[in-house]
Amino acid sequence: MTLSDAVYLAAGTGALGAAVVPRIVSRRPLSTPMLFLAVGMLVGLSAVPAVDPVGSRLWVEHATELCVIVSLMGAGLALNRPVSPRGWAGAWRLLGISMPLTIAATTAAGALLLGWPFASALLLAAVLSPTDPVLAAEVRVGEPTDDPDDEDEVRFSLTAEAGLNDGLAFPFVLAALAVAAAPAGTAGWAADWFLVDVLVRIAVGVAVGVVTGRVLGWMFFRARPRALRLSEHMEGFVAIGATFVAYGAAELSGGYGFLAVFVTACTIRAAERDHGYHKVLHGFTEQIERLLTVFLLFLLGGYLVAHGLPSLTWQGALVGVLLVLVVRPAAGYAGLLGGGTGPRERLVTAAYGIRGIGSLFYLAYALGHSGHFAAYTDQLWAVVSFTVFLSVFLHGATAAPVIQRLDRLRRSSPAPP
């Protein structure tokens, strides 16, 4: 059996399973990503060849890139709350406080436990900084709706955080590449990095997202020529067109495409919040996202068995365990202190910083744009893959009961401030 045969098998199994499994595991301490990752690991024990992300780096980079941008469009379309300093306070705190704390602590863990140089430890931390509630659907906002239970503070903050930090992780990844390329002990890269990679590229990404979203929002809902008013035709594949337009325009303009896609989606939602077309767009992106996610997790499972876990050291495993069980929960809780959420919501939000497909993309991207990490390539893939594996199983098994209990407690007695 060749690798292409294995890919077809994974694609077919994933497509069928993506339609059936979510209904089987609904409201159980299981998740679709858990099952597909486990199946991939079982298949990896057979003679089926596993995808090697080192040898197939470019393919892995673009497959994960596609999955991330589709999920960002779906996340932005699902959020109904208008963007504001107060309404999005939880997300701003997770991005502005918790994310830098997580990166700093993970960098320190990588340097101390693994003995890696600063650039490699920073790359590991930056790659693992994005969160991904797609891998535990219970902790994200569902389809576009006005249901208050579907946009409570926990679900909203985690979804908004994931939508934005997939783009905001890029400056830290680029910082690691700059440090690795700079002469030892010098910091000449810092000024250019802050001006271009932080300020300019974020601003361009946001600007492209706003402009694209407004143009598409006008076109979807208010264009006078009926042929352009796509909301009347209710075709869901238009969401993919909007995703690609926003991403391509931002990247060609020198901005962050991930950020532009999410901002575009939020702007389209704001153009006509109560229109049923949002459900059609979101439903289509969710289907594509589900297919891509289960496909990639199936292949990730095979890689873990064939290459990832055999290459993993106990120090690398400890870094992943610390990030999932200690660093993110502590940093998340610290960032949310004083933000107006109750202690129950604060604890759950902090604990469910799920690692996923975005981490795989960033690592493939970084290794393709710098040769300075060649000595650590296998270990980087092993640690990142193990961390995603741990997060998928730990968070996937606990998300449903935890969120269900939180919903019951919130309905019976609102949490104290």
Side-chain angles (χ1 to χ4, degrees):
M1 180 181 287
T2 65
L3 180 59
S4 61
D5 295 328
V7 170
Y8 280 119
L9 176 63
T13 305
L16 294 172
V20 176
V21 172
R23 293 167 176 80
I24 296 175
V25 302
S26 178
R27 303 189 72 81
R28 290 181 173 89
L30 292 171
S31 69
T32 302
M34 286 173 62
L35 294 182
F36 276 93
L37 189 54
V39 170
M41 295 178 74
L42 290 174
V43 172
L45 294 172
S46 67
V48 177
V51 172
D52 177 9
V54 178
S56 305
R57 186 207 60 80
L58 188 62
W59 181 90
V60 171
E61 177 185 337
H62 290 306
T64 52
E65 179 183 38
L66 176 60
C67 185
V68 171
I69 61 175
V70 170
S71 68
L72 289 174
M73 176 59 66
L77 289 171
L79 296 175
N80 189 43
R81 192 180 302 182
V83 178
S84 67
R86 183 180 179 86
W88 286 47
W92 303 139
R93 286 173 169 272
L94 289 170
L95 292 165
I97 302 173
S98 302
M99 187 176 178
L101 287 176
T102 300
I103 292 174
T106 308
T107 302
L112 295 174
L113 292 174
L114 299 171
W116 289 0
F118 176 69
S120 299
L122 177 59
L123 177 62
L124 177 65
V127 161
L128 288 172
S129 62
T131 56
D132 188 0
V134 169
L135 299 185
E138 293 80 5
V139 298
R140 64 170 177 167
V141 173
E143 67 176 10
T145 177
D146 294 327
D147 183 354
D149 283 341
D150 215 29
E151 202 164 89
D152 64 276
E153 196 58 41
V154 172
R155 290 183 176 92
F156 178 85
S157 294
L158 287 171
T159 304
E161 177 198 15
L164 289 167
N165 70 15
D166 267 321
L168 296 180
F170 239 125
F172 296 99
V173 172
L174 296 177
L177 301 185
V179 171
T186 63
W189 57 271
D192 184 64
W193 169 79
F194 182 73
L195 177 63
V196 177
D197 294 331
V198 177
L199 298 182
V200 173
R201 297 190 70 179
I202 288 176
V204 171
V206 173
V208 169
V210 170
V211 171
T212 304
R214 288 184 175 177
V215 171
L216 292 177
W218 169 84
M219 179 178 171
F220 290 172
F221 303 109
R222 290 187 292 275
R224 288 190 176 181
R226 192 170 183 273
L228 291 180
R229 203 179 314 135
L230 296 179
S231 61
E232 294 189 8
H233 306 287
M234 304 296 274
E235 293 172 326
F237 69 86
V238 171
I240 301 301
T243 301
F244 291 166
V245 166
Y247 188 74
E251 291 292 322
L252 289 174
S253 301
Y256 292 126
F258 286 175
L259 196 56
V261 170
F262 182 72
V263 173
T264 295
C266 292
T267 308
I268 291 173
R269 181 69 196 267
E272 192 77 33
R273 292 195 179 277
D274 299 327
H275 201 287
Y277 191 43
H278 294 302
K279 287 189 177 182
V280 176
L281 296 173
H282 180 270
F284 189 86
T285 59
E286 187 178 38
Q287 289 178 336
I288 302 300
E289 170 197 304
R290 193 189 308 167
L291 285 171
L292 292 170
T293 300
V294 299
F295 171 64
L296 291 170
L297 288 175
F298 185 88
L299 297 181
L300 176 62
Y303 161 75
L304 277 166
V305 171
H307 305 290
L309 295 180
S311 301
L312 185 68
T313 64
W314 71 265
Q315 295 96 332
L318 183 57
V319 171
V321 170
L322 286 174
L323 171 62
V324 172
L325 297 182
V326 179
V327 173
R328 160 61 194 212
Y333 199 88
L336 293 171
L337 281 173
T341 56
R344 290 194 299 257
E345 287 79 4
R346 194 180 306 139
L347 181 61
V348 173
T349 304
Y352 281 89
I354 302 166
R355 268 56 197 174
I357 304 301
S359 295
L360 304 180
F361 163 77
Y362 277 118
L363 183 55
Y365 173 90
L367 296 178
H369 286 76
S370 174
H372 293 88
F373 305 100
Y376 305 98
T377 296
D378 289 338
Q379 270 296 290
L380 278 165
W381 275 113
V383 175
V384 171
S385 299
F386 170 76
T387 305
V388 173
F389 160 81
L390 178 64
S391 181
V392 166
F393 276 90
L394 178 64
H395 293 129
T398 60
V402 168
I403 294 297
Q404 288 168 21
R405 176 167 175 77
L406 191 63
D407 287 342
R408 289 195 299 269
L409 290 172
R410 190 177 63 251
R411 292 189 193 105
S412 61
S413 57

